[in-house]
Amino acid sequence: MSGNTFSNADTGNKPADPYKAKNLDQAPLKDKVQDLVSFVEGCKFGMMTTKESDKGLLVSRCMAMAGKETGGIDLVFTTNTESGKTDDLHTDPNINIAFINGSGEWASIAGKAEVLTDRDVVKKYYSRQLKAWLGDLGDGKHDGGPDDPRIGAIRVNAVTATYAIADRNMVSRGIEIAKGTVTGDTAQVNKLRELSEEDINTCKHLPFDRPERSCARSIAFDLEPDMIAGRKSHSMVQ
């Protein structure tokens, strides 16, 4: 076991992770990208993970996606610039966005984040529902509107991604899992796909069928913000 890896078993010439070996799907790059984009589009919320600026611990909060760029591979979220996550990203721009649906399909996108305060960018992704989260402070400036300086955007520039989508329907998946439980044969139920940094850089120059668009008008902010004592709010949505 080297300094950067962990192992507690020696399986010889057999795969130590047979699930990955059996479910890893080497689809064409464009298919992998477009299936990832489609899956993310179908998820209402994602979990944004950052590294706390003061303690170095990982913190996640639920975020509603405001838009997509670069063919859908880079994600945009609106934010209160005075929240804890902006402190985190100012210290360490590394970020992860995770999505999951009710069928257990999931996606994990790792990247670099930038906090944007340019008014043109903010107005592109602005939603009037943001006022419900920031409020109107009554000073004529901090009113929750598109020119409120507290409203910014977080652009997540994807670096790598991993996701798993169902390879068959629920009944077939159940049969496959039951068979594996009895026989010890590893279940093949998902298309497990990985996008390397090289893949991501390549796909950002591929032609896509979907235009880039803002999701701002369709977002429903229906989660309550959480408060972290002693720090800025780590608002669960924006």
Side-chain angles (χ1 to χ4, degrees):
M1 182 170 60
S2 71
N4 295 323
T5 62
F6 176 87
S7 176
N8 194 46
D10 182 358
T11 60
N13 61 358
K14 296 182 178 180
D17 187 356
Y19 165 79
K20 181 175 181 179
K22 196 161 187 177
N23 288 269
L24 190 63
D25 182 48
Q26 302 293 353
L29 178 57
K30 189 172 182 179
D31 289 349
K32 290 199 290 185
V33 173
Q34 291 189 329
D35 285 347
L36 172 62
V37 171
S38 295
F39 177 75
V40 169
E41 282 182 347
C43 295
K44 187 175 182 180
F45 300 107
M47 294 297 293
M48 175 184 287
T49 301
T50 58
K51 188 175 182 180
E52 273 191 335
S53 59
D54 50 358
K55 298 178 182 177
L57 300 175
L58 299 179
V59 179
S60 299
R61 78 284 289 161
C62 186
M63 299 286 289
M65 190 167 59
K68 305 182 300 298
E69 297 181 351
T70 325
I73 201 69
D74 293 330
L75 310 179
V76 180
F77 302 85
T78 48
T79 186
N80 182 344
T81 61
E82 310 310 300
S83 67
K85 56 188 169 293
T86 54
D87 286 344
D88 299 346
L89 295 173
H90 179 71
T91 303
D92 187 342
N94 288 296
I95 195 168
N96 181 271
I97 310 294
F99 301 90
I100 191 167
N101 66 18
S103 299
E105 298 172 307
W106 57 270
S108 173
I109 299 173
K112 302 285 186 179
E114 50 185 327
V115 179
L116 308 174
T117 57
D118 180 87
R119 287 300 99 188
D120 288 338
V121 175
V122 171
K123 289 176 181 178
K124 178 179 179 181
Y125 296 109
Y126 177 78
S127 165
R128 289 187 300 171
Q129 293 167 313
L130 284 168
K131 184 175 288 190
W133 300 100
L134 285 92
D136 185 344
L137 303 187
D139 59 3
K141 183 177 182 180
H142 304 95
D143 58 1
D147 291 313
D148 187 329
R150 295 175 299 165
I151 299 177
I154 296 173
R155 178 187 290 139
V156 179
N157 300 298
V159 176
T160 63
T162 304
Y163 69 99
I165 55 177
D167 190 35
R168 55 194 71 196
N169 62 42
M170 289 293 290
V171 174
S172 297
R173 293 172 72 190
I175 293 173
E176 182 75 2
I177 293 170
K179 182 182 73 174
T181 302
V182 174
T183 65
D185 187 20
T186 306
Q188 184 174 0
V189 293
N190 290 322
K191 295 177 182 177
L192 179 64
R193 294 172 173 174
E194 298 176 334
L195 290 163
S196 67
E197 184 172 1
E198 181 180 359
D199 290 335
I200 295 289
N201 288 334
T202 299
C203 79
K204 289 184 179 183
H205 297 91
L206 289 176
F208 286 86
D209 297 331
R210 300 176 181 81
E212 296 177 7
R213 65 183 179 89
S214 168
C215 306
R217 294 181 180 177
S218 62
I219 292 173
F221 300 95
D222 57 4
L223 299 181
E224 296 180 359
D226 63 341
M227 301 298 293
I228 307 298
R231 319 185 60 217
K232 293 179 181 177
S233 165
H234 273 87
S235 171
M236 289 198 297
V237 183
Q238 308 304 350

